[in-house]
């Protein structure tokens, strides 16, 4: 029996991974901030004995502690932890409220760090695996996403150090670096004032589907790869930033001009339990 815990599991990449591993026979713990969406997903999978859902705010330590307790109570073990829940913003750094940066950092960095620490005893027992969904934005600057870039960079550095500390315990870590995914990021990205961003996001290259990325992740995990850069844009952009940074900056300044225009979004409700990635 393989037990897999996925955060941000109710939509986007998290849901695509959940479906893949359910079809592969895994028992699933699906965690998300959206209870209604979790209930719908549980119904869609249709096997209550292999699916346990937990409503979780990944920025809330008691929620994360409860998530680990419920995982052990439901299945007695944990073999694969998928740190997938995330949020982004589309707003200039100079006009973005500090609360926006705090929220992005809490969801994209602090949450995965705390959950992984709490889950380590179970993972050590099973000699399990960890997947962290990073982003190309953690490797190179993307205009209008200063907080997101910082959080994903912090995620990378923390888990690369953790990898070194865990390898002798038999725990494997896969870092995934997608570029632009066709996920609910459009509906949940924050604006400068902390409300929902109203302008469309800028992209480079084609949009990858969550299903395609989920399949690539599964193959990489089975091969025990340490890193997955699933598309050419990520690889090319990272290389360009390192060998020709001035050219890279000119390109992204032009491509992302709409994201660094100073604007304020109107008030609306924002959710960050689902897994947006850029």
């Amino acid at each position: 029996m393989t037990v897999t815990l996925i955060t941000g599991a109710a939509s986007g990449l998290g849901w695509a991974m959940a479906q893949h591993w359910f079809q592969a026979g895994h028992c699933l713990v699906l965690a998300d901030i959206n209870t209604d969406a979790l209930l719908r997903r549980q119904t869609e999978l249709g096997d209550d004995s292999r699916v346990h859902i937990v409503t979780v705010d990944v920025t809330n330590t008691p929620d994360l502690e409860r998530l680990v307790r419920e995982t052990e109570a439901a299945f007695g073990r944990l073999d694969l932890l998928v740190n997938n829940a995330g949020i982004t913003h589309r707003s200039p750094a100079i006009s973005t409220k500090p609360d926006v940066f705090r929220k992005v950092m809490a969801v994209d960095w602090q949450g995965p760090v705390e959950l992984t620490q709490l889950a380590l005893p179970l993972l050590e027992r099973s000699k399990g695996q960890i997947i962290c969904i990073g982003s190309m934005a953690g490797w190179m600057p993307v205009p209008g996403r200063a907080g997101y870039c910082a959080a994903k960079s912090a995620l990378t550095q923390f888990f690369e150090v953790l990898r070194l500390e865990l390898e002798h315990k038999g725990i494997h870590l896969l870092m995934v670096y997608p570029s632009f995914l066709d996920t609910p990021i459009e509906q949940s990205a924050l604006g400068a004032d902390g409300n929902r961003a109203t302008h469309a996001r800028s992209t480079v290259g084609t949009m990858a589907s969550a299903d395609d990325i989920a399949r690539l992740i599964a193959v990489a995990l089975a091969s025990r790869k340490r890193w997955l850069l699933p598309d050419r844009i990520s690889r090319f952009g990272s290389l360009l930033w390192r060998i020709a940074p001035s050219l890279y900056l000119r390109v992204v300044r032009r491509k992302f001009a709409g994201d660094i225009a100073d604007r304020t979004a109107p008030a609306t409700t924002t959710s960050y339990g689902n897994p947006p990635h850029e």
Side-chain angles (χ1 to χ4, degrees):
M1 177 176 69
T2 300
V3 177
T4 297
L5 190 167
I6 306 170
T7 62
S11 68
L13 182 57
W15 174 233
M17 289 187 287
Q19 293 175 92
H20 178 90
W21 279 311
F22 183 79
Q23 293 167 4
H26 291 208
C27 295
L28 299 180
V29 179
L30 305 182
D32 202 282
I33 200 170
N34 189 327
T35 303
D36 291 340
L38 281 175
L39 290 168
R40 288 194 300 271
R41 297 312 192 189
Q42 185 178 42
T43 300
E44 289 178 53
L45 292 175
D47 187 343
D48 289 344
S49 67
R50 283 203 290 132
V51 181
H52 183 72
I53 61 173
V54 187
T55 302
V56 169
D57 178 346
V58 297
T59 70
N60 184 276
T61 299
D63 275 12
L64 297 177
E65 293 170 342
R66 177 172 50 83
L67 174 59
V68 173
R69 287 197 306 270
E70 289 197 27
T71 298
E72 186 171 19
F75 299 114
R77 60 184 293 132
L78 176 62
D79 301 280
L80 173 59
L81 169 63
V82 185
N83 288 309
N84 170 76
I87 191 171
T88 190
H89 70 100
R90 296 197 298 273
S91 55
I94 57 175
S95 59
T96 300
K97 289 185 176 180
D99 283 349
V100 173
F101 293 141
R102 279 191 284 268
K103 180 176 286 188
V104 171
M105 186 63 73
V107 175
D108 292 354
W109 181 77
Q110 189 69 36
V113 167
E114 286 197 32
L115 178 56
T116 301
Q117 288 181 313
L118 291 166
L120 277 178
L122 291 177
L123 292 168
E124 288 183 23
R125 195 184 309 165
S126 66
K127 296 190 182 301
Q129 301 188 82
I130 301 168
I131 296 174
C132 285
I133 306 300
S135 169
M136 70 171 192
W139 290 28
M140 60 201 92
V142 181
R145 293 159 178 81
Y148 184 74
C149 290
K152 290 299 186 179
S153 179
L155 184 80
T156 293
Q157 293 300 325
F158 179 90
F159 279 94
E160 288 299 342
V161 172
L162 186 65
R163 181 201 303 282
L164 297 174
E165 298 176 359
L166 293 180
E167 282 185 329
H168 75 282
K169 297 184 177 183
I171 297 176
H172 173 252
L173 174 62
L174 170 64
M175 294 296 301
V176 181
Y177 296 104
S179 56
F180 294 96
L181 298 186
D182 186 11
T183 72
I185 195 166
E186 284 287 352
Q187 290 77 41
S188 57
L190 301 176
D193 61 356
N195 297 304
R196 193 171 297 170
T198 57
H199 64 288
R201 65 170 166 170
S202 304
T203 62
V204 178
T206 58
M207 298 273 284
S209 77
D211 289 339
D212 287 343
I213 299 299
R215 285 191 289 271
L216 291 173
I217 289 171
V219 171
L221 190 71
S223 303
R224 296 186 74 83
K225 289 186 176 180
R226 291 184 172 94
W227 307 279
L228 174 62
L229 281 77
D231 55 69
R232 294 176 183 175
I233 289 296
S234 294
R235 296 190 291 271
F236 176 74
S238 176
L239 180 63
L240 187 64
W241 169 237
R242 283 156 177 76
I243 65 174
S246 294
L247 175 58
Y248 172 87
L249 291 175
R250 286 201 301 273
V251 171
V252 296
R253 186 179 293 114
R254 183 179 70 253
K255 290 284 188 179
F256 293 85
D259 290 292
I260 55 178
D262 198 358
R263 57 164 67 83
T264 301
T268 186
T269 302
T270 301
S271 169
Y272 54 88
N274 295 328
H277 306 287
E278 297 197 274

